[in-house]
Amino acid sequence: MTFAGVGTFMTKEISLEHVWVEFGEFTAVQKANLNIAGGEFFSFLGPSGCGKTTLLRCISGFQEPTRGLVKIGGKDMKGVGPNKRPTALIFQNLALFPLRSVADNISFPLEVRGVDKKTRRKRADELLELIALPGQGDKKVSELSGGQKQRVAIARALAVEPDILLLDEPLSALDLKLRQHMRTELRAIQKQVGLTFIYITHDQGEALTMSDRIAVMNKGKIEQIGDGKTIYDHPSTSFVASFVGENNVLEGTVLTNDGKMMQIDAGLGTLFHVESHPAGGPALAPGDACQLFVRPEALKIAKSDNSLNQFETRFVTEEFEGNMRHIVLDAQGKKLKLSLINDGTHSIGASAPVKLDFAPALGIALKPGELASA
Amino acid sequence: MRDLFYDLVKRNGMAVSIYLMVAVSLWVFLLIILPQLTMLDYSFRFNLPPGKIGGPEDVYTLDQYRYFFQGSGSSGGLNTLDIGILFKTLMSAVFVTVFDLLICYPVAFVLAKSSTGAKARLLVLALIVPYWINEILRAFAFRILFGSTGVINEVGMGLGLFDSPVDFIREDVALYAGLAYAYILLMIFPLYNAIESLDRNQIEAAQDMGANWWQVHSKVVIPYAKPGIASGMTMVFMLTAGALAAPQILGGPSNLWFTQLVYQWFNSGGNWPRGSAYAMILLVVCIALVLLTMRIFKVSIGEIKR
């Protein structure tokens, strides 16, 4: 799919300044502050009800913030209706018009702008060409497959020639294979048209694979903003650590912290050494309670008897996922998950104790906070 | 028919199926088809005294229909009076129907899309409650409301809008108001049902793509609600054109509704065959008008029953 010659898209940056949205007593968004650069692929990631859709509606103009400013291209958008904003929204259910043909769907934005029929049709055909559905303009929407509808929705949004494309979980209705294919395709479209994409999702896989930057949200608050690697490797709050990807969490106490290395007692009979991450979240002082996160793939079966961060566990059960084997272990009453690549060699005895360890760089100690519910 | 019955039996058991089949057949045949056929038969006969019915003079004739077109005159001139009344009745019914559509569409839209749960139910209740009162009583209430010493005249004169009482009855304002009110629910509910099932995102998508509120309605909501609009308009039109109580009570003295003619032939005229012929004419003309309108607006009957 190529988008050369679709027209030139201006691209504008967006800034949210102290945006609050309240519905009566309920605060849907609190103090959202962020800048999205022109041409960026930016995702809001969070569980349902975290306020990400409300924030998107603030940008598209369907919702006025209770307090704070939404600026697009430096211009305050207060009082500017959704039909006057340079944004195009792709809805979760796509919201294609069932009574209109594919071409009439795509050219709807031109129709309401009073563009004549011939020009509209020409433009629709161009866009159909570009979403690899040439000559399908006279079909009914219901005759298209899920992926084709998806592409028609994108073409319709692009027909507006927006500065910013907003996508509200557009892939959630597709099956797994198509979803993964569309991830790649969406990212390719974004690169080619160079438009600012703002993407809403609860699926961390989508957010991590496509985005330049991600804002993780919980209960109306933006917990962390960063690129995928930062969010995954250096979460700044317990929520981010537990929501993005899988994580094992151990409750513990900080014994020492010299700014580079911390010692943590998690009650497993071993003093854990983990690197301090001054960039990620507030620093922990000796005596502080903490939550220690170690990802399932960071845990290793200990190769020697005296490695650092070594502790003893018992095998509980194994979940087989094809490429990965997820082994559930018990460490003094705490359930831990260990993920191993299925290379056909591992075998863990059901009875003997299993000794695990992890590299100090891969343990993340954070102030105790709310964990994402499974 | 046989397949339908087997299907019914499979789903509901024998007893229920037989009851359903018998009840529906009786309803359709005894209460709808048979009376209409009798009326049709009547309309093609002469109005004979009881003694001659079944006698040699009791033959089929087009005389009753001829009367509608030509009147009693043998000169072959047109019965302009009755044709005029039919025409005026149809025009008035169209006017009332369009008027109902105009006032009901916004109400139905707000009910369906803007209000939620309990609030919508309360609004619907508020719409229904007045209909617990008998239709005739409501018509008389309108007569009092629009009478020369009625509330509207009192208020109008109190505010200095007009000096002397306006004769709303003679001007047919009361009649139109009464008819428009009588069948308003039959317009609101089909519209409400149609609009209610429209996905909210469709409206927002249209707005997002630059449509103003008029374009949202003309390009998205109305096309979608077309079957509901057609169904509401058909019902209101048919019932208004066939209304008797409201024209009888609220109509001006010089204005007859076509149903009143039918009523007169049956009742004071004592001419059942002619009354039947007039009723048939009204029925056929109304159905033809509805079908023609549906064709013009490209609505099929199949769509309406959705």
Side-chain angles (χ1 to χ4, degrees), chain B residues 4-268:
Chain B
L4 182 75
F5 185 71
Y6 284 144
D7 191 44
L8 266 178
V9 172
K10 224 187 301 173
R11 282 176 200 222
N12 306 307
M14 188 54 91
V16 175
S17 310
I18 289 177
Y19 168 74
L20 277 176
M21 292 300 269
V22 170
V24 171
S25 312
L26 278 184
W27 179 36
V28 171
F29 186 71
L30 273 187
L31 300 178
I32 300 174
I33 296 179
L34 207 59
Q36 292 294 335
L37 283 179
T38 316
M39 287 269 278
L40 191 66
D41 180 64
Y42 263 43
S43 73
F44 287 107
R45 291 182 185 275
F46 288 108
N47 189 28
L48 297 170
K52 292 192 178 175
I53 288 174
E57 284 172 61
D58 196 0
V59 290
Y60 284 112
T61 173
L62 286 172
D63 194 57
Q64 310 302 354
Y65 291 94
R66 190 194 57 75
Y67 182 89
F68 170 75
F69 290 106
Q70 296 182 348
S72 51
S74 50
S75 58
L78 278 178
N79 184 356
T80 46
L81 188 67
D82 288 2
I83 294 176
I85 289 174
L86 176 63
F87 186 72
K88 199 194 152 219
T89 302
L90 293 178
M91 285 300 104
S92 306
V94 167
F95 172 77
V96 167
T97 308
V98 171
F99 181 70
D100 268 358
L101 176 65
L102 291 181
I103 51 178
C104 289
Y105 179 82
V107 175
F109 183 78
V110 170
L111 261 183
K113 282 284 156 279
S114 301
S115 53
T116 47
K119 230 197 292 176
R121 277 195 294 276
L122 206 67
L123 274 166
V124 169
L125 193 67
L127 284 172
I128 293 175
V129 165
Y131 288 83
W132 293 352
I133 298 164
N134 181 293
E135 187 189 351
I136 312 244
L137 282 183
R138 270 187 281 133
F140 274 112
F142 265 67
R143 201 178 168 96
I144 295 166
L145 208 61
F146 283 103
S148 56
T149 55
V151 180
I152 294 175
N153 266 316
E154 298 276 316
V155 171
M157 288 201 295
L159 291 173
L161 292 177
F162 29 84
D163 303 329
S164 54
V166 177
D167 194 344
F168 289 115
I169 307 279
R170 185 174 292 278
E171 300 292 335
D172 275 345
V173 173
L175 174 60
Y176 288 145
L179 284 171
Y181 180 62
Y183 306 112
I184 212 162
L185 285 189
L186 296 171
M187 184 67 87
I188 286 195
F189 286 124
L191 284 183
Y192 171 79
N193 278 337
I195 299 172
E196 218 256 329
S197 63
L198 173 65
D199 175 14
R200 229 201 136 72
N201 287 347
Q202 301 253 319
I203 297 173
E204 293 197 339
Q207 284 178 326
D208 188 61
M209 285 180 289
N212 55 36
W213 73 266
W214 164 247
Q215 288 167 325
V216 167
H217 286 280
S218 65
K219 292 184 189 296
V220 178
V221 185
I222 292 175
Y224 183 83
K226 209 158 77 174
I229 293 172
S231 144
M233 287 185 85
T234 306
M235 280 201 274
V236 171
F237 173 75
M238 286 298 216
L239 289 170
T240 306
L244 182 62
Q248 201 87 297
I249 296 164
L250 294 169
S254 60
N255 262 317
L256 276 181
W257 208 250
F258 196 75
T259 47
Q260 286 173 289
L261 282 187
V262 176
Y263 182 74
Q264 277 175 10
W265 284 122
F266 269 102
N267 234 352
S268 42

Side-chain angles (χ1 to χ4, degrees), chain A residues 16-30:
Chain A
L16 304 178
E17 298 175 8
H18 297 275
V19 169
W20 291 71
V21 182
E22 282 155 5
F23 299 111
E25 292 286 287
F26 177 70
T27 306
V29 174
Q30 32 179 315

Side-chain angles (χ1 to χ4, degrees), chain A residues 123-138:
Chain A
R123 182 84 178 123
D125 285 340
E126 277 170 27
L127 283 161
L128 277 167
E129 194 89 26
L130 295 158
I131 55 167
L133 290 174
Q136 314 246 31
D138 293 320

Side-chain angles (χ1 to χ4, degrees), chain A residues 350-365:
Chain A
S351 54
V354 184
K355 287 186 174 159
L356 299 181
D357 62 12
F358 60 91
L362 298 180
I364 309 282

Side-chain angles (χ1 to χ4, degrees), chain A residues 3 10 17 27 88-89 109 128 155 168 209 232 250 262 276 372:
Chain A
F3 273 79
M10 300 285 291
E17 298 175 8
T27 306
L89 175 57
L128 277 167
D168 186 3
T209 46
Y232 192 83
L250 296 167
M262 284 190 265
S276 308

Side-chain angles (χ1 to χ4, degrees), chain A residues 8-286:
Chain A
T8 47
F9 289 95
M10 300 285 291
T11 160
K12 286 185 177 152
E13 78 279 8
I14 297 169
S15 58
L16 304 178
E17 298 175 8
H18 297 275
V19 169
W20 291 71
V21 182
E22 282 155 5
F23 299 111
E25 292 286 287
F26 177 70
T27 306
V29 174
Q30 32 179 315
K31 212 174 125 184
N33 250 326
L34 60 94
N35 284 296
I36 299 168
E40 193 172 1
F41 197 126
F42 192 94
S43 292
F44 287 99
L45 172 64
S48 58
C50 72
K52 57 193 192 299
T53 297
T54 308
L55 212 45
L56 191 78
R57 291 173 69 83
C58 284
I59 297 170
S60 60
F62 288 109
Q63 177 73 48
E64 282 287 345
T66 318
R67 268 168 283 155
L69 293 179
V70 175
K71 288 183 178 171
I72 298 177
K75 237 178 77 192
D76 184 6
M77 284 289 126
K78 192 173 172 55
V80 181
N83 55 346
K84 301 263 191 270
R85 294 197 184 188
T87 56
L89 175 57
I90 295 181
F91 289 80
Q92 188 163 9
N93 65 357
L94 306 180
L96 295 174
F97 303 123
L99 300 174
R100 293 171 161 259
S101 69
V102 169
D104 284 349
N105 259 285
I106 293 175
S107 62
F108 182 86
L110 306 174
E111 193 180 324
V112 299
R113 283 168 177 78
V115 175
D116 68 273
K117 209 169 175 168
K118 243 179 90 183
T119 319
R120 267 175 8 219
R121 184 64 206 220
K122 197 168 148 268
R123 182 84 178 123
D125 285 340
E126 277 170 27
L127 283 161
L128 277 167
E129 194 89 26
L130 295 158
I131 55 167
L133 290 174
Q136 314 246 31
D138 293 320
K139 275 197 175 171
K140 283 191 197 150
V141 172
S142 56
E143 290 169 335
L144 301 180
S145 71
Q148 288 173 331
K149 282 183 194 163
Q150 191 79 53
R151 282 184 269 163
V152 170
I154 293 168
R156 188 177 68 170
L158 291 176
V160 190
E161 299 195 5
D163 302 329
I164 295 142
L165 199 62
L166 309 171
L167 303 100
D168 186 3
E169 307 211 21
L171 304 185
S172 56
L174 304 178
D175 58 47
L176 182 66
K177 277 262 188 279
L178 193 54
R179 201 155 65 220
Q180 284 170 345
H181 171 71
M182 285 307 294
R183 281 183 196 172
T184 324
E185 201 149 295
L186 270 179
R187 183 62 173 159
I189 292 170
Q190 194 264 341
K191 284 262 187 258
Q192 270 157 1
V193 296
L195 223 53
T196 312
F197 271 40
I198 300 183
Y199 194 91
I200 296 284
T201 183
H202 64 270
D203 181 331
Q204 33 131 348
E206 280 177 17
L208 291 172
T209 46
M210 292 191 287
S211 322
D212 293 317
R213 282 194 305 157
I214 301 167
V216 182
M217 289 186 75
N218 182 36
K219 298 197 170 151
K221 254 167 72 181
I222 296 178
E223 297 257 338
Q224 188 175 1
I225 301 174
D227 60 36
K229 194 163 164 46
T230 308
I231 298 272
Y232 192 83
D233 289 344
H234 302 292
S236 62
T237 69
S238 293
F239 179 81
V240 177
S242 55
F243 183 75
V244 182
E246 284 199 72
N247 235 327
N248 294 304
V249 54
L250 296 167
E251 309 284 340
T253 315
V254 179
L255 296 183
T256 64
N257 184 357
D258 64 5
K260 278 190 178 150
M261 208 55 114
M262 284 190 265
Q263 287 192 330
I264 292 166
D265 176 15
L268 296 181
T270 310
L271 275 189
F272 290 122
H273 293 70
V274 304
E275 280 183 12
S276 308
H277 297 284
L284 293 159

